[in-house]
Amino acid sequence: MKVCLHTQSTDMYIFNLHLLPAGGSLGPEAPLVAICGALGGFVSRRLFRQSSTNVVRKHTFMGMAGALAAFFGVPLGGSLFALEVCSRFGVEYFEHLIESIFCGEICLMVFRGLSGLPIKPIWNLTSPRNLRIVECDPTHVFLAAFIGLYGALLAYFFASFHWKNMEFFGRLNLLDNSRAVYRGWLGAIFIVLMSLLVPHSGK
Amino acid sequence: MQHTSLVLRMTPSPNNKYEIGKEMESYTNENSSLLPTDSGNDYGNNGDEDNDVVFAPLEDRTNSFSEMKKTVHNDPGLSQQYESVEDFQTLLGSTSVLKNALDQEGTTSWKSIQKRSHSFTMLLPTREIEEPSIITLEAKGHRRTGSISSRISDNGNGMYSHREDSPLLLRMERLYQSRISNVSTLYLKKIKKSFFSDAKSLAEGTIPQSIVLAIVIGIVCGVACYFYYSILYFGLDLFWTKIPEEYIIPSEFWSPEYYWLWIPLVCFSMVTLVGLTVFYMGEPGDLPYTISRVHTQAYIPMDHVLPMVFASMFSILGKLYRRTQCS
């Protein structure tokens, strides 16, 4: 399992570096956040005729939290992520936490019920040889912190490479939406090469 | 559940003139708790020496709150012109009661004001309401200019103060003139007192309303996620499993050494569809765009939903999808 996770994550990392400039998406979560956030604001403003900025923003957060909770399978983590992804100056908007979690639970039940999926996390890291951790050593906290820093470092490289790619596409004057097709084709060259060389780099 | 209330009251002064005063019943919400209280001006305190709380002018308080929100949220939307009083009300919070009486058609009779705006009865004590011939409110020229011209006239004996004598009304007029471009009829909002009254009316920003909205939004988003998920995984299974296994591999025209051509064929087709979606349907917007809309407008425009649906579908379908078994 370790080998599989390691090789696949590395390949996906390189793969998605080129996927994003081509207009691709890492997964359905980010688009669904935007879609459900828009739906939440629409329900608030159009159906319930809300006009207060803070109230409409709360309902927009409800929609975003619902999308993440539905796909992550965890209403608490999904709602927290929806709120923290919008926090630019420290902790913001966490006064909407309770409502967001509640809406996430509703959305999770509806989505999983309709699609016939069980309510469980996306990744199951247990196996007959690696059972669920029922207790841990305090030193594992430091290990987790180190892994978190390692992930942050990878994210930093990912973001830096992404912006370098954006500069590259900008120099080619491909960031204009009137040339979106050419932009996609250029990005697809890298994606196809990566897919041919490492076929399991996809999802 | 506590609310802020700003009640305009016509109170007879010792010199038998009616003055505009204000009564601060409670200031416990987010807006009011940050208000400056060191103003040296007495704005219509009616000479009540027992009232030690002196609030700054309404305009100053509003500006102060706006600056505070800009600092916290860096919200450029707060500096915009507001289209209506309802929009402007967001500056002061949903529980703030600020609205004055204005009529869009010009002069409005006292009876019509009293009938249309029940909460206007909060404005004046019962004794004054029973004298419709004494006090009239006249609104003029406010449809486009946004000015407030509430003139208080008397029945000929000159015993009532003109609006220019009221600093509070003057400041409110300047405030509306500077911030609102389309003033509608103003009224005083009736403040709910209990959970059940909130549940009955689904008042804005209350807990019962949040519960109902959470259920409705959760159901709507759950159904939307279900359709998105179903279409997405149907396409992934179709392009990367069903067609290759059922049509390409058994085909006599597709040699095994050219199976790899299916990958660039699907990738370039989907990428082309992504580009055409952006070109014809517009910018779908990404996560930073979504976050910026939440900060500035508090909602995400719906015209980005369809481009986002199609662009994300095509881009994900263009990725090589393969069910990996890690065990």
Side-chain angles (χ1 to χ4, degrees):
Chain A
M1 182 181 70
K2 292 180 179 178
V3 174
C4 180
L5 283 176
H6 173 71
T7 54
Q8 189 177 7
S9 61
T10 307
D11 299 333
M12 285 186 66
Y13 182 84
I14 302 172
F15 179 82
N16 288 316
L17 279 178
H18 300 89
L19 177 68
L20 282 176
S25 172
L26 289 175
E29 290 83 10
L32 272 178
V33 167
I35 293 169
C36 291
L39 286 176
F42 177 80
V43 169
S44 175
R45 293 168 59 243
R46 299 300 180 192
L47 298 185
F48 286 84
R49 302 290 181 187
Q50 299 301 298
S51 58
S52 173
T53 303
N54 290 330
V55 174
V56 173
R57 183 181 286 122
K58 175 171 66 177
H59 299 151
T60 302
F61 277 126
M62 285 181 182
M64 298 170 65
L68 290 173
F71 260 78
F72 288 169
V74 281
L76 182 59
S79 303
L80 283 175
F81 182 68
L83 295 177
E84 76 177 14
V85 77
C86 290
S87 297
R88 300 179 300 185
F89 302 102
V91 177
E92 292 180 285
Y93 305 130
F94 273 76
E95 65 269 22
H96 308 311
L97 180 62
I98 301 299
E99 292 96 333
S100 298
I101 293 174
F102 180 62
C103 182
E105 291 177 346
I106 300 292
C107 189
L108 174 68
M109 287 192 298
V110 172
F111 169 67
R112 298 275 171 161
L114 288 175
S115 56
L117 298 173
I119 297 178
K120 65 175 185 179
I122 294 177
W123 295 287
N124 182 12
L125 302 179
T126 62
S127 67
R129 294 176 56 188
N130 300 284
L131 301 176
R132 187 171 67 91
I133 299 175
V134 295
E135 60 182 16
C136 69
D137 194 78
T139 56
H140 290 172
V141 177
F142 294 99
L143 180 62
F146 174 76
I147 294 174
L149 288 175
Y150 175 67
L153 182 65
L154 291 180
Y156 170 75
F157 287 135
F158 188 95
S160 301
F161 190 79
H162 168 70
W163 288 114
K164 291 294 182 185
N165 273 341
M166 294 294 286
E167 290 180 10
F168 173 69
F169 277 71
R171 283 198 296 271
L172 296 178
N173 196 22
L174 289 176
L175 293 183
D176 188 2
N177 282 342
S178 62
R179 310 185 71 182
V181 177
Y182 306 110
R183 183 173 68 211
W185 284 346
L186 180 59
I189 293 174
F190 296 97
I191 298 173
V192 169
L193 286 176
M194 203 70 63
S195 299
L196 292 175
L197 295 175
V198 192
H200 63 272
S201 58
K203 188 171 182 180
Chain B
M1 188 173 301
Q2 292 176 309
H3 298 281
T4 299
S5 64
L6 170 62
V7 179
L8 300 179
R9 171 172 289 180
M10 295 288 293
T11 308
S13 63
N15 56 2
N16 203 20
K17 280 190 175 182
Y18 280 81
E19 295 177 352
I20 303 295
K22 61 181 180 180
E23 179 181 333
M24 302 293 178
E25 292 183 350
S26 63
Y27 270 90
T28 55
N29 68 347
E30 177 193 34
N31 303 354
S32 58
S33 61
L34 296 170
L35 297 178
T37 57
D38 55 353
S39 173
N41 298 328
D42 187 0
Y43 293 94
N45 211 12
N46 300 328
D48 187 2
E49 299 297 329
D50 297 333
N51 189 1
D52 295 329
V53 179
V54 179
F55 289 88
L58 184 62
E59 186 175 8
D60 295 342
R61 292 192 287 113
T62 306
N63 291 336
S64 172
F65 178 60
S66 300
E67 292 301 319
M68 184 274 295
K69 288 198 71 175
K70 286 177 186 175
T71 303
V72 173
H73 297 309
N74 194 19
D75 191 349
L78 290 178
S79 60
Q80 66 184 6
Q81 284 282 329
Y82 291 86
E83 291 297 326
S84 65
V85 174
E86 285 74 16
D87 291 339
F88 171 75
Q89 192 187 16
T90 60
L91 278 174
L92 301 175
S94 59
T95 58
S96 183
V97 180
L98 181 60
K99 300 182 176 181
N100 293 327
L102 274 179
D103 189 11
Q104 294 184 353
E105 298 301 328
T107 304
T108 306
S109 64
W110 169 257
K111 288 292 184 183
S112 64
I113 292 177
Q114 193 174 5
K115 184 181 297 182
R116 184 176 63 246
S117 177
H118 172 72
S119 56
F120 189 76
T121 56
M122 298 169 61
L123 186 69
L124 299 172
T126 307
R127 184 166 53 85
E128 285 85 354
I129 297 175
E130 292 171 350
E131 299 173 346
S133 61
I134 294 176
I135 301 174
T136 60
L137 295 180
E138 180 177 337
K140 58 183 180 180
H142 55 270
R143 175 174 292 179
R144 290 296 178 187
T145 61
S147 65
I148 290 179
S149 299
S150 300
R151 192 180 66 188
I152 302 172
S153 61
D154 57 17
N155 56 355
N157 55 13
M159 297 299 292
Y160 307 103
S161 60
H162 192 266
R163 67 178 179 87
E164 294 177 355
D165 297 332
S166 170
L168 181 61
L169 274 184
L170 288 176
R171 282 171 172 82
M172 292 175 70
E173 178 177 352
R174 286 200 298 269
L175 184 62
Y176 277 97
Q177 284 177 341
S178 62
R179 305 302 289 273
I180 299 177
S181 59
N182 184 20
V183 178
S184 59
T185 302
L186 302 175
Y187 57 92
L188 289 176
K189 183 180 291 184
K190 190 174 182 180
I191 298 174
K192 306 299 182 299
K193 295 295 185 182
S194 68
F195 180 86
F196 296 104
S197 61
D198 291 339
K200 188 177 180 181
S201 64
L202 287 181
E204 189 176 57
T206 57
I207 293 176
Q209 190 211 36
S210 295
I211 294 173
V212 172
L213 262 295
I215 294 173
V216 173
I217 293 173
I219 293 174
V220 170
C221 292
V223 173
C225 290
Y226 167 70
F227 282 114
Y228 187 94
Y229 172 86
S230 301
I231 296 173
L232 177 65
Y233 278 85
F234 171 78
L236 287 172
D237 190 61
L238 176 69
F239 284 110
W240 296 110
T241 303
K242 192 171 184 179
I243 292 180
E245 292 181 354
E246 296 185 6
Y247 296 98
I248 294 178
I249 295 177
S251 175
E252 299 176 355
F253 302 101
W254 201 299
S255 178
E257 54 265 24
Y258 296 115
Y259 282 165
W260 61 272
L261 283 176
W262 181 249
I263 295 176
L265 181 64
V266 175
C267 281
F268 276 101
S269 300
M270 292 301 163
V271 160
T272 304
L273 290 176
V274 172
L276 292 176
T277 301
V278 175
F279 183 77
Y280 286 107
M281 301 184 71
E283 176 74 33
D286 52 5
L287 196 57
Y289 170 81
T290 302
I291 294 171
S292 69
R293 292 305 92 196
V294 173
H295 278 284
T296 56
Q297 290 180 296
Y299 64 91
I300 303 165
M302 286 295 290
D303 53 358
H304 289 272
V305 170
L306 278 182
M308 173 62 79
V309 169
F310 284 101
S312 61
M313 285 270 189
F314 292 141
S315 64
I316 296 174
L317 291 177
K319 288 198 301 184
L320 178 60
Y321 174 74
R322 179 175 179 174
R323 286 199 179 96
T324 55
Q325 298 294 331
C326 297
S327 59

